[in-house]
Amino acid sequence: MNTVAAYIDPSVVAYAIEAVAGVVIAAGAIFIVWWRKVKKKVSDKLGIDENAGKEVEEDIVITDENSDENK
């Protein structure tokens, strides 16, 4: 009976893991972009405004009153 011993270089395994991780990350990014587009189209079609109930705070402006006196 013949036995076959195969050697897989560790760098090849690391490269394969990186390739699989890259494909998974790219697919996730594509899915998220697609999902946001679909969600926006559905919201526009149904007339839903996600910012309708939000309150906008005023900008805070801090001025140094003593700077006018020092001039």
Side-chain angles (χ1 to χ4, degrees):
M1 179 182 270
N2 292 336
T3 59
V4 178
Y7 173 74
I8 299 176
D9 192 40
S11 63
V12 173
V13 175
Y15 182 74
I17 291 171
E18 289 175 12
V20 169
V23 168
V24 169
I25 291 170
I30 290 170
F31 175 76
I32 288 173
V33 169
W34 174 80
W35 177 252
R36 287 183 181 171
K37 286 183 180 182
V38 168
K39 185 178 169 185
K40 178 149 177 53
K41 284 183 182 180
V42 170
S43 295
D44 289 344
K45 206 63 138 162
L46 297 176
I48 300 171
D49 184 15
E50 65 182 42
N51 294 325
K54 294 182 181 177
E55 294 182 18
V56 179
E57 295 181 2
E58 296 180 18
D59 292 335
I60 298 175
V61 179
I62 299 174
T63 58
D64 187 14
E65 294 176 8
N66 295 331
S67 64
D68 294 336
E69 296 173 5
N70 294 332
K71 289 183 180 180

